Amino acid sequence: MNPVFPLSIAQMSDLHLFADENEQLLGIPTTLSFQAVIGRLKQLRCELDLLLLTGDLSGDGSPESYEMVQNLLHPLEISTYWLPGNHDSAIAMEQVLNLRLVSRRKSFERGGWHFILLDSTVPGCVHGHLSTKSLHWLDFQLSIGGNKPTLLALHHPPFQVDSKWLDSSTLQNPQDFFALIDRHPQVKLVLFGHIHQEFHRQRHAVDYLGTPSTCIQFAPLSSNFSLDPKSPGFRLLKLYPDGTWESSVERVPFSCKLDLAATGY
């Protein structure tokens, strides 16, 4: 019997690249930290089938920042999909991030899985919300997707993460989201970013996974804004056609002097 090979994915989030490649975010030169992650992905390139970017690709919403993303991803030659975060400009993303292997598609099938990417951003706000239109679209996509195991992705976590300052900016209508997911048992995984830290929670039969940022990390369980000195990271996933999966978080060596005295973000 032939072995079943999984679909291998790298999820990256919260890149915060700028038009000026030398600009720093709280002491971290985000272009360099992202390049460190790209360097590790180059080593894994033969094993990877797909890249998934879960928002805040830019720190300033500029077209130049998205051109930087695209140029840095190009040597990997891996199919890449993205969704916006609260720091992004959806208009600029649509215009720039649609060349070569970078796609703006939000519903697609790979490796026997159905992928659905959601926009949880609210213009001018840090918190997330899924509009009625987005929820109807999600319900429709799940209805036509059959019984294929399904992965959903959005920027904002649908759970509070026990950090008082972060919990005010999570998804504001999680119960609407959960109620919809409960009607579609093919949903196996929900991925998100925004919280700049590793996170895992299970609700019913669905696993919800947050991933570290490719630049700064937020300290878990913090009442006030606080940075974590952990290295930049990303999430690796292996998805099997029967709906089972494996996942791990990987950190990359990267050192710089964090601005640990920062009080705002």
Side-chain angles (χ1 to χ4, degrees):
M1 176 180 287
N2 291 328
V4 175
F5 293 101
L7 184 75
S8 295
I9 298 172
Q11 178 201 1
M12 293 176 282
S13 200
D14 301 274
L15 286 52
H16 291 278
L17 301 191
F18 298 92
D20 179 356
E21 65 180 35
N22 296 312
E23 188 163 346
Q24 298 183 359
L25 178 64
L26 302 179
I28 282 217
T30 59
T31 299
L32 291 181
S33 64
F34 185 53
Q35 286 175 325
V37 171
I38 292 292
R40 176 57 179 149
L41 293 179
K42 284 180 180 178
Q43 297 174 341
L44 299 171
R45 189 168 84 179
C46 293
E47 305 172 26
L48 293 172
D49 302 299
L50 187 152
L51 303 179
L52 183 59
L53 310 181
T54 51
D56 280 358
L57 281 57
S58 175
D60 58 13
S62 65
E64 293 83 2
S65 65
Y66 299 117
E67 290 168 1
M68 181 86 66
V69 172
Q70 188 144 250
N71 290 336
L72 291 172
L73 290 173
H74 177 59
L76 294 175
E77 298 182 326
I78 301 173
S79 296
T80 301
Y81 300 84
W82 56 266
L83 56 87
N86 51 285
H87 285 274
D88 286 313
S89 165
I91 294 175
M93 296 177 94
E94 288 281 336
Q95 292 173 341
V96 177
L97 294 175
N98 192 37
L99 292 176
R100 299 187 287 266
L101 292 176
V102 179
S103 172
R104 60 187 177 194
R105 291 177 62 195
K106 298 296 180 276
S107 179
F108 56 94
E109 294 179 6
R110 290 285 298 270
W113 280 66
H114 186 191
F115 293 78
I116 304 175
L117 313 186
L118 299 163
D119 182 354
S120 60
T121 62
V122 180
C125 297
V126 178
H127 68 255
H129 185 275
L130 289 171
S131 67
T132 299
K133 181 179 179 181
S134 292
L135 290 168
H136 285 167
W137 179 79
L138 172 59
D139 196 24
F140 174 73
Q141 291 296 325
L142 289 169
S143 298
I144 66 174
N147 295 321
K148 292 183 181 67
T150 299
L151 182 153
L152 309 182
L154 70 169
H155 182 64
H156 295 86
F159 290 102
Q160 294 193 339
V161 298
D162 297 324
S163 286
K164 185 176 180 180
W165 72 276
L166 265 177
D167 286 340
S168 64
S169 68
T170 56
L171 189 72
Q172 299 297 290
N173 58 334
Q175 295 308 320
D176 295 335
F177 187 47
F178 293 146
L180 199 158
I181 290 174
D182 290 346
R183 299 199 300 270
H184 297 279
Q186 73 269 34
V187 177
K188 305 298 182 185
L189 279 172
V190 177
L191 305 183
F192 50 86
H194 189 62
I195 55 173
H196 291 232
Q197 61 191 264
E198 184 176 354
F199 181 88
H200 181 197
R201 185 165 298 174
Q202 188 175 62
R203 180 187 176 276
H204 297 172
V206 181
D207 288 273
Y208 295 77
L209 304 175
T211 192
S213 165
T214 66
C215 58
I216 62 170
Q217 311 302 311
F218 295 153
L221 309 177
S222 53
S223 296
N224 300 312
F225 177 86
S226 182
L227 296 179
D228 190 330
K230 285 183 180 176
S231 300
F234 61 97
R235 181 176 289 280
L236 292 170
L237 300 108
K238 293 185 181 298
L239 308 183
Y240 294 86
D242 65 357
T244 58
W245 57 274
E246 301 169 4
S247 181
S248 62
V249 164
E250 185 162 333
R251 305 276 180 173
V252 299
F254 186 82
S255 61
C256 66
K257 187 176 181 180
L258 280 174
D259 184 3
L260 294 174
T263 57
Y265 171 64

